[in-house]
């Protein structure tokens, strides 16, 4: 596989796994996660490493998240989410058209309204404002922004600040207002066939490879979900990963967000912070409106709908859903 593919298997990525920069990520992220858990911070194993690595990166410490490590974690995350796929999920397909139409309206309003704000008050060029205003999907947006000769630094910084705000604040909102029955994690799951897991991994990798070729967004998550759905619905293979593996996935995913601040400065972040806060506020308000409209036409938990229209990254939002059993 080549570097631009979802799972970059090459010499450079293997070397990065044993690099000082990645070892430092683990050294600083682990105690940050433990400390966050000690203080009962929701989503501790994600938020602790994310905040620690973000600050260290901004202070100039060289940290790196190998793409190969992140890819493996995202495959595991996809396999874990795939546990929730069954025939009942597809019985709800008639509702998807409504949520999709509401999502389309939400995206159009978000881009039109927030981009105008950024263009007028932050001094962003028109194209840069549009890419900065779009909710979520930083990777594809940066590719499009580069093709359109927009300011990649401003687009990336706006989205990163928004992601930090959303992922930091949202767990506290859900933790305080969502009356959930906490489910204890079971680290050992009995009576499972290891061959089912191997079949699941092999089919996932095959579909990820195909999705890469046809440019499907978020191929790692999409590939594992499709593989899980096909195998479980057809009852060919089923394997539930232990919830205990999620903490390590959260640590890597949270650290990867912080590592994105490499080569950025507090001054650069400061210039974009105010307008990013305002833009995030507008996006959240529009997301609340979209979730409310969706609640009128489909029977779903409001927090599930709110998370569905949350202007964050797909993987980061997914781990919030897992943590709160949404």
């Amino acid at each position: 596989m080549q570097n631009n593919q979802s799972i970059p298997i090459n010499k450079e990525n293997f070397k990065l796994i044993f690099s000082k920069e990645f070892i430092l990520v683990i050294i600083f992220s682990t105690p940050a996660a433990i400390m966050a858990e000690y203080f009962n911070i929701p989503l501790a194993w994600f938020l602790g490493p994310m905040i620690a690595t973000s600050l260290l990166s901004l202070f100039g410490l060289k940290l790196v998240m190998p793409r190969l490590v992140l890819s493996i974690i995202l495959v595991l995350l996809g396999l874990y989410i795939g546990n929730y796929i069954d025939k009942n999920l597809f019985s709800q397909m008639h509702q998807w058209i409504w949520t999709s139409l509401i999502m389309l309206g939400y995206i159009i309003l978000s881009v039109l309204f927030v981009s105008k704000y950024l263009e007028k008050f932050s001094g962003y060029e028109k194209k840069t404002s549009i890419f900065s205003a779009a909710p979520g999907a930083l990777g594809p947006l940066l590719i499009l922004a580069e093709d359109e000769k927009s300011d990649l630094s401003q687009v990336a910084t706006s989205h990163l600040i928004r992601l930090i705000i959303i992922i930091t604040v949202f767990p506290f909102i859900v933790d305080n207002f969502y009356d959930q029955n906490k489910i204890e994690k079971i680290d050992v799951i009995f009576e499972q066939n290891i061959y089912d897991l191997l079949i699941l991994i092999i089919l996932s990798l095959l579909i990820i490879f195909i999705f890469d070729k046809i440019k499907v967004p978020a191929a790692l998550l999409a590939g594992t979900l499709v593989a899980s759905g096909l195998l479980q619905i057809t009852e060919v293979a089923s394997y539930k990963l232990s919830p205990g593996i999620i903490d390590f996935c959260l640590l890597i995913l949270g650290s990867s967000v912080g590592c994105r601040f490499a080569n950025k400065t507090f001054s650069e972040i400061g210039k974009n912070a105010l307008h990013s806060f305002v833009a995030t506020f507008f996006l959240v308000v529009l997301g609340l409106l979209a979730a409310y409209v969706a609640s009128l036409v489909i029977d779903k938990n409001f927090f599930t709908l709110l998370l569905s229209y949350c202007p964050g990254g797909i993987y980061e939002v997914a781990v919030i859903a897992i943590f709160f059993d949404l």
Side-chain angles (χ1 to χ4, degrees):
M1 292 186 180
Q2 297 176 9
N3 288 340
N4 62 344
Q5 293 187 306
S6 295
I7 305 178
I9 301 176
N10 54 53
K11 186 178 179 180
E12 289 183 11
N13 273 278
F14 277 113
K15 286 176 66 177
L16 282 176
I17 295 174
F18 302 99
S19 67
K20 181 181 72 174
E21 290 82 1
F22 178 55
I23 293 172
L24 286 174
V25 169
I26 302 300
I27 289 174
F28 288 111
S29 294
T30 303
I34 294 171
M35 187 179 299
E37 187 171 51
Y38 176 79
F39 286 105
N40 295 317
I41 294 175
L43 212 59
W45 284 79
F46 183 95
L47 291 180
M50 181 187 73
I51 294 170
T53 51
S54 297
L55 291 173
L56 291 170
S57 294
L58 289 172
F59 275 115
L61 185 64
K62 290 185 178 180
L63 301 175
V64 67
M65 178 58 64
R67 281 187 58 206
L68 182 57
V69 172
L70 183 58
S71 295
I72 292 170
I73 291 301
L74 294 179
V75 168
L76 290 174
L77 184 62
L79 291 175
Y80 186 86
I81 298 173
N83 292 343
Y84 295 89
I85 297 178
D86 55 25
K87 293 178 182 178
N88 293 329
L89 178 66
F90 289 91
S91 68
Q92 304 170 19
M93 285 181 67
H94 64 282
Q95 296 181 343
W96 296 358
I97 186 171
W98 298 113
T99 54
S100 298
L101 287 172
I102 295 168
M103 177 67 77
L104 178 61
Y106 163 61
I107 291 172
I108 293 172
L109 283 175
S110 296
V111 172
L112 288 176
F113 186 78
V114 178
S115 66
K116 285 297 181 184
Y117 165 81
L118 291 173
E119 188 179 356
K120 184 173 182 179
F121 294 100
S122 71
Y124 282 13
E125 183 264 339
K126 185 175 182 178
K127 289 181 180 178
T128 301
S129 297
I130 291 172
F131 290 121
S132 298
L138 175 58
L141 283 170
L142 284 178
I143 294 171
L144 291 171
E146 187 173 20
D147 289 340
E148 294 295 327
K149 311 300 181 188
S150 300
D151 190 323
L152 293 182
S153 178
Q154 288 181 331
V155 173
T157 303
S158 296
H159 277 270
L160 287 173
I161 293 173
R162 182 187 310 157
L163 183 61
I164 292 287
I165 296 169
I166 291 294
I167 301 302
T168 302
V169 173
F170 199 91
F172 285 95
I173 294 174
V174 178
D175 196 48
N176 283 283
F177 294 100
Y178 177 42
D179 185 20
Q180 59 163 342
N181 294 319
K182 301 240 178 185
I183 299 174
E184 286 193 26
K185 293 181 180 178
I186 302 173
D187 291 322
V188 181
I189 300 175
F190 298 100
E191 297 181 2
Q192 296 202 95
N193 191 334
I194 191 66
Y195 292 109
D196 282 2
L197 178 60
L198 291 175
I199 292 170
L200 189 54
I201 291 173
I202 291 169
L203 184 60
S204 295
L205 294 176
L206 177 62
I207 296 177
I208 288 169
F209 178 78
I210 294 171
F211 281 4
D212 260 339
K213 290 295 185 183
I214 61 177
K215 308 298 183 185
V216 173
L220 289 166
L221 182 60
T224 50
L225 290 181
V226 169
S228 298
L230 284 173
L231 293 174
Q232 291 186 161
I233 291 172
T234 58
E235 298 182 352
V236 172
S238 177
Y239 194 95
K240 295 187 181 296
L241 295 177
S242 167
I245 201 170
I246 289 301
D247 281 346
F248 182 68
C249 291
L250 293 178
L251 184 146
I252 295 297
L253 197 57
S255 299
S256 73
V257 174
C259 289
R260 294 180 196 174
F261 283 96
N263 302 319
K264 296 193 179 296
T265 64
F266 279 103
S267 175
E268 185 178 357
I269 297 298
K271 289 178 182 177
N272 290 276
L274 175 60
H275 297 299
S276 294
F277 269 102
V278 176
T280 300
F281 173 77
F282 288 143
L283 288 170
V284 170
V285 170
L286 289 170
L288 280 166
L289 178 62
Y292 174 72
V293 173
S295 70
L296 299 177
V297 294
I298 64 172
D299 183 22
K300 279 287 179 186
N301 177 289
F302 182 75
F303 282 99
T304 297
L305 294 171
L306 182 57
L307 196 57
S308 300
Y309 298 104
C310 178
I314 184 170
Y315 297 108
E316 291 81 12
V317 170
V319 297
I320 297 177
I322 291 171
F323 183 81
F324 289 104
D325 195 37
L326 290 169

